[in-house]
Amino acid sequence: MKGSRALATYPTPVSLLFAPSREAAASPAVSTNRATISSEDFVVMSVEGESLEAGKRVLELTSPLALAGISIFFFTTYFSDFILVPAKSKSQVVRALEDRGFRFERFEKGAEAYVNPTAHHNRNKSSTSSLGAVSPSTPPPATVGELQTRTFALLKRREIVPRVDANLRLLQCAGRRDSPSSFSTDEMGLQVGLTRSLVYQPRFLSLTLTENDPASLLLEKGLVSNFDLENVLLGNREDFLVPIMLDLEPLPLEATGIVCGVADRLVGRIDSGVLTKAIEMSYLSTARTGTVIVEEKDLDYAMDALRTREHDDLEH
């Protein structure tokens, strides 16, 4: 693993595209029941895990943190995975992952960044705890299977169900960065394409900017044509992805284990014979929503796996 800078500190003009939204969220004129700004500092960790499939990387990375009671945000991008954790939990995160055999590397000075997320929309925050590692009111789960059971019992109690827009299909793309000589041209082409896309107020567009990788985009298939004239995007244009949304607004921000519980149901259960096939998945966290990304051909299978069942009421 290595440290990386996040969108909030990315030093290119692309970030200016989102300045109005960022400033609006921080404005006193915005009602407090619509947006709040967290005072927490965060650490972003980038993950090098090419040897594992995306879904298994999600499970392998999140399970030790979930079992340790650490609240996280998780992002799968075109090139890397990123874990966003409270800065005050950094030592606990490092210890939990090193205990599972992960290795941390430090690069040049400045390769790590503490970041502050812009806005947390409509997500409850308890009055007695924060985003850091919180002592649970009940004993922590001993196994990932137990954690999955608790996760889906919680989702069922809060009436959180997976939702899908039947007409929404996505493509995973990345900015082209073929050579230093074309960097400025590629960057300008990316900005032009983003501007065109945002004008149409897309239903779904996720952009991840980091210090070391080109831009990663997850966007509606119809938006890709906005970048074609500049030819600045990499990615398969035929393998459509579908987002499955979990509205996490009823849960406190410090809730743990959601990402791991979902990943275990889609990926981990294949090893125990519960599922007949593994589902290739990725995950995108926001303060309000957990988004599970699956291939179009796996949508029905994934939705069936994620729907709560009678035994999800059981916690042990």
Side-chain angles (χ1 to χ4, degrees):
M1 290 190 169
K2 59 184 178 181
S4 179
R5 297 189 187 278
L7 177 59
T9 58
Y10 196 79
T12 71
V14 174
S15 62
L16 298 177
L17 289 169
F18 299 92
S21 298
R22 191 168 61 243
E23 293 166 0
S27 170
V30 176
S31 173
T32 55
N33 66 357
R34 292 181 57 197
T36 57
I37 305 298
S38 171
S39 60
E40 294 278 357
D41 285 333
F42 287 78
V43 173
V44 177
M45 297 178 180
S46 65
V47 182
E48 297 178 344
E50 294 84 352
S51 60
L52 291 175
E53 296 176 351
K56 290 188 176 181
R57 286 203 307 271
V58 175
L59 184 59
E60 287 293 316
L61 289 162
T62 61
S63 57
L65 304 183
L67 293 174
I70 302 170
S71 177
I72 69 168
F73 294 101
F74 193 95
F75 309 89
T76 306
T77 72
Y78 191 91
F79 296 102
S80 306
D81 295 316
F82 294 90
I83 303 175
L84 183 65
V85 299
K88 61 187 178 184
S89 299
K90 178 183 176 181
S91 60
Q92 189 181 7
V93 170
V94 171
R95 185 167 59 252
L97 291 176
E98 285 185 336
D99 286 346
R100 289 288 293 269
F102 288 93
R103 180 170 56 89
F104 284 76
E105 294 182 354
R106 289 186 178 275
F107 292 85
E108 70 280 359
K109 182 178 180 181
E112 280 191 346
Y114 291 83
V115 298
N116 200 319
T118 53
H120 294 301
H121 301 279
N122 291 322
R123 186 88 175 271
N124 297 328
K125 188 172 184 179
S126 74
S127 58
T128 58
S129 58
S130 69
L131 286 171
V134 180
S135 298
S137 56
T138 58
T143 66
V144 174
E146 182 182 348
L147 186 145
Q148 185 215 127
T149 300
R150 291 191 185 188
T151 296
F152 279 86
L154 174 62
L155 296 179
K156 187 170 185 177
R157 286 199 309 272
R158 298 300 179 90
E159 300 182 341
I160 298 172
V161 297
R163 296 179 293 105
V164 170
D165 183 335
N167 299 314
L168 189 59
R169 295 296 182 268
L170 309 177
L171 290 170
Q172 181 82 65
C173 302
R176 187 182 299 278
R177 191 179 293 177
D178 295 329
S179 67
S181 62
S182 64
F183 176 80
S184 297
T185 302
D186 292 341
E187 186 77 2
M188 182 59 67
L190 180 65
Q191 292 183 45
V192 170
L194 283 169
T195 302
R196 290 172 181 158
S197 299
L198 293 172
V199 165
Y200 291 101
Q201 298 182 339
R203 290 175 296 163
F204 195 107
L205 192 157
S206 171
L207 170 67
T208 304
L209 301 175
T210 68
E211 183 179 40
N212 299 316
D213 294 334
S216 177
L217 298 95
L218 185 63
L219 71 170
E220 297 171 43
K221 64 179 183 179
L223 297 178
V224 174
S225 60
N226 292 320
F227 301 83
D228 283 346
L229 290 178
E230 287 75 25
N231 191 29
V232 293
L233 290 186
L234 303 172
N236 191 313
R237 306 293 182 92
E238 298 179 357
D239 293 338
F240 296 136
L241 305 172
V242 183
I244 302 174
M245 309 288 192
L246 295 169
D247 183 359
L248 303 180
E249 180 181 343
L251 301 182
L253 279 170
E254 64 270 16
T256 63
I258 304 299
V259 184
C260 178
V262 168
D264 185 55
R265 178 155 288 192
L266 294 181
V267 180
R269 297 299 87 190
I270 188 69
D271 296 330
S272 62
V274 176
L275 296 181
T276 58
K277 68 172 183 176
I279 298 174
E280 183 65 16
M281 62 157 287
S282 56
Y283 197 91
L284 176 66
S285 297
T286 68
R288 184 178 183 179
T289 306
T291 304
V292 182
I293 312 295
V294 300
E295 296 179 5
E296 186 177 31
K297 63 181 177 62
D298 289 333
L299 176 60
D300 292 340
Y301 193 77
M303 285 292 289
D304 182 64
L306 291 175
R307 290 188 182 99
T308 56
R309 301 172 176 82
E310 291 301 321
H311 68 264
D312 287 326
D313 287 326
L314 302 176
E315 291 189 53
H316 52 267

